[in-house]
Amino acid sequence: MSGTWSGEPAAPTDADPRRWWGLVVIALAQLMVVLDATIVNIALPSAQRDLGMSDGNRQWVITAYTLAFGGLLLLGGRVADLVGRKRTFVIGLIGFAAASALGGAAATPAMLFGARALQGVFAALLAPSALSLLSTTFSDPRERAKAFGIYGTLAASGAAAGFIVGGVLTEYLNWRWCLYVNIPFAVAAVIGAYTLLRERPGHGDARLDVPGVLLGCGGLVALVYGFGEAQPRGWSDPLVLALFAAAVVLLAAFVWWQTRAPMPLLPLHIIRDRNRAGCMVTMMLAVIGMFGMFLFMTYYLQVVLAYSPLLTGLAFLPMTASILTGSTQISARLLPRVGPRMLMVPGMLLASGGMVILTQMTVDSAYASEILPALILMGLGMGLTFMPVFSTATAGVAPRDSGVTSATVNTSQQIGGSIGTALLNTIATGTSATYIASHLTDPTRRAQVVREGIVHGYTVAIWVAAGIMLLAALVAGLMVTAKAPKHETPADDPVPEPVA
């Protein structure tokens, strides 16, 4: 779920009998955005074959979306403030549908990468305005809790739906329909928005931090592009080194500018809090490992074990169920009684343990005995971690900062996905190529050696992901020192803002 700014007071809902239908429209849009993150994973092997993508470039189908989404998410909230939530919501829906149509019609890898980046741009407009509309539509505390519960459940179930829908569409139609399917969702949501949602005027005093966007997004693009180019060129290649150097300079300049911008994209006092910073770093590290695993397991199941796209989608369902169980049945029940790191540290250790199990997979591993236990452990670990991360990172902030704080947590999630997919894919493809080159002594065994090399690359990258998960556990244990929420300062007693 993505955050937003909601600076104006919530409007009363008693006079709006259509508010629950409005919730359906808002949730439908959010479901489309969340579903799109997993539906394309299942279609990726088919799209790679059809468009002739290289193993090194395939990750851009994922990272182009997450990078644009995460890099522009904070700006999307400011745009919604400036021009109005409903208008931004509708623009985001129309743009997302158009980008999906362009991606579905892609004739080259570059066209698909560009369409996915455009999807991310419009998702960055859509997600903050959707959550803001939800906030202003429901002001009664009980109705608000119910509405956010329904919204959160639909958003969480979108990941599971994405795996299944992606499998069905890819197997029985083709991969292009995994993008075309967004169009009817968007059309229905646009019609519903015009008929059911109220317009809230924008704030004329809101300003866009354009230099912040250029510096922040430029630095992130340089970083991810550097990871992507490291595989074909080598880590010591001048272009790769130049990209990493540019990333450091641009991101440092972004931090410097945020201390001087009249209306900064990311007010730095938000991440100066130790617990909040710890939660955001933990989230980013956790997602680095998780997104890489999604990519490798999709290819392992479809290419190595020869699963159909539908069966691949079904194979991921136990992990999704474990995430929901860990989040709603374990973390949600224990968080009022224990400190958040007492959930986050074991969660990351469980996820790392699941990754270690996956490092033992071979070209003919059995799903039930060797893959399924790892997916369940990773799901439980992620569920234990994500819920206290969001709860702790957004607790105790001043009301004017609640939206940007939530958006920042989600930005760390999307950026972690971008970095993780690019970095781990580079490690996997590079290691696979080295293995195949050193073991291909008998041409008659070429097919077998290639399969072994692919799996070897995956296992090496998964070892790295397991180490990143352990680092996340260490960060959570050392930085997140908050007590159980019932022992903390009440939520309506905000953290004072620093004097300018």
Side-chain angles (χ1 to χ4, degrees):
M1 290 167 54
S2 302
T4 185
W5 287 259
S6 50
E8 76 265 14
T13 61
D14 295 338
D16 186 5
R18 301 177 301 173
R19 60 192 178 278
W20 292 105
W21 285 108
L23 171 63
V24 172
V25 174
I26 295 167
L28 182 66
Q30 178 67 12
L31 180 64
M32 179 181 70
V33 172
V34 174
L35 181 147
D36 208 68
T38 53
I39 194 173
V40 175
N41 268 286
I42 301 299
L44 189 50
S46 299
Q48 182 180 2
R49 288 193 301 269
D50 193 16
L51 299 181
M53 295 179 220
S54 68
D55 287 346
N57 284 337
R58 67 190 178 192
Q59 50 92 11
W60 281 106
V61 177
I62 309 298
T63 55
Y65 178 78
T66 56
L67 190 58
F69 190 5
L72 297 174
L73 187 57
L74 293 169
L75 180 67
R78 292 293 192 204
V79 172
D81 271 350
L82 186 63
V83 305
R85 280 87 164 102
K86 179 177 174 180
R87 187 178 303 169
T88 307
F89 183 75
V90 171
I91 292 171
L93 284 169
I94 294 172
F96 198 90
S100 299
L102 181 65
T108 65
M111 187 175 173
L112 180 57
F113 301 157
R116 289 287 288 164
L118 274 178
Q119 281 186 309
V121 170
F122 287 106
L125 287 177
L126 179 59
S129 54
L131 195 56
S132 184
L133 285 166
L134 187 65
S135 299
T136 56
T137 301
F138 294 92
S139 60
D140 178 79
R142 285 180 296 181
E143 285 194 350
R144 187 180 179 88
K146 183 177 180 181
F148 271 86
I150 294 171
Y151 181 85
T153 300
L154 284 174
S157 63
F163 286 126
I164 299 302
V165 174
V168 170
L169 292 175
T170 303
E171 184 160 345
Y172 295 107
L173 293 171
N174 62 51
W175 66 269
R176 297 178 185 276
W177 283 94
C178 292
L179 294 159
Y180 289 145
V181 71
N182 293 318
I183 298 173
F185 276 96
V187 169
V190 167
I191 294 171
Y194 275 118
T195 56
L196 298 169
L197 298 179
R198 291 181 175 181
E199 179 63 278
R200 305 287 177 189
H203 296 291
D205 59 347
R207 297 177 63 182
L208 302 182
D209 181 14
V210 176
V213 173
L214 295 176
L215 291 170
C217 287
L220 292 170
V221 169
L223 181 64
V224 173
Y225 188 44
F227 285 134
E229 288 297 306
Q231 188 271 324
R233 295 175 178 270
W235 291 94
S236 59
D237 181 82
L239 175 62
V240 173
L241 295 177
L243 287 167
F244 288 145
V248 171
V249 171
L250 288 170
L251 292 175
F254 170 79
V255 173
W256 171 83
W257 173 250
Q258 295 308 287
T259 65
R260 289 159 175 78
M263 187 170 285
L265 195 64
L266 174 61
L268 294 182
H269 68 265
I270 288 174
I271 57 175
R272 289 195 185 109
D273 178 81
R274 175 175 178 163
N275 290 299
R276 196 168 296 119
C279 285
M280 291 175 183
V281 174
T282 300
M283 170 65 81
M284 186 171 68
L285 292 172
V287 175
I288 284 175
M290 186 175 75
F291 268 61
M293 184 275 301
F294 277 153
L295 179 67
F296 301 141
M297 292 311 299
T298 297
Y299 274 86
Y300 176 74
L301 293 171
Q302 290 193 47
V303 176
V304 179
L305 296 188
Y307 280 24
S308 68
L310 177 57
L311 193 56
T312 300
L314 292 172
F316 278 109
L317 278 186
M319 187 183 71
T320 305
S322 296
I323 292 175
L324 291 174
T325 300
S327 178
T328 62
Q329 301 303 312
I330 302 176
S331 280
R333 295 174 186 269
L334 292 180
L335 188 59
R337 299 177 177 84
V338 301
R341 68 176 169 184
M342 298 301 292
L343 296 169
M344 294 163 64
V345 173
M348 286 293 91
L349 292 176
L350 277 177
S352 181
M355 292 281 190
V356 171
I357 292 175
L358 281 183
T359 63
Q360 308 306 306
M361 66 187 185
T362 65
V363 293
D364 53 3
S365 291
Y367 173 81
S369 60
E370 299 174 66
I371 306 301
L372 179 61
L375 295 179
I376 291 174
L377 279 179
M378 284 188 288
L380 284 174
M382 292 295 179
L384 282 173
T385 303
F386 285 170
M387 190 270 178
V389 161
F390 276 104
S391 176
T392 305
T394 56
V397 297
R400 63 174 294 180
D401 286 334
S402 60
V404 69
T405 302
S406 178
T408 305
V409 177
N410 283 278
T411 296
S412 69
Q413 186 177 7
Q414 297 296 330
I415 297 307
S418 301
I419 294 173
T421 305
L423 171 62
L424 296 178
N425 184 67
T426 294
I427 292 172
T429 52
T431 308
S432 292
T434 302
Y435 180 96
I436 293 169
S438 62
H439 288 75
L440 191 57
T441 56
D442 182 358
T444 62
R445 294 190 65 249
R446 178 177 178 80
Q448 179 67 15
V449 170
V450 168
R451 292 175 72 228
E452 291 173 353
I454 291 172
V455 175
H456 175 71
Y458 294 166
T459 57
V460 170
I462 290 172
W463 270 116
V464 174
I468 293 172
M469 295 287 192
L470 287 178
L471 180 59
L474 181 63
V475 169
L478 294 178
M479 293 186 66
V480 183
T481 58
K483 298 178 181 178
K486 69 177 181 180
H487 299 304
E488 288 288 311
T489 304
D492 57 359
D493 185 15
V495 175
E497 295 180 23
V499 177

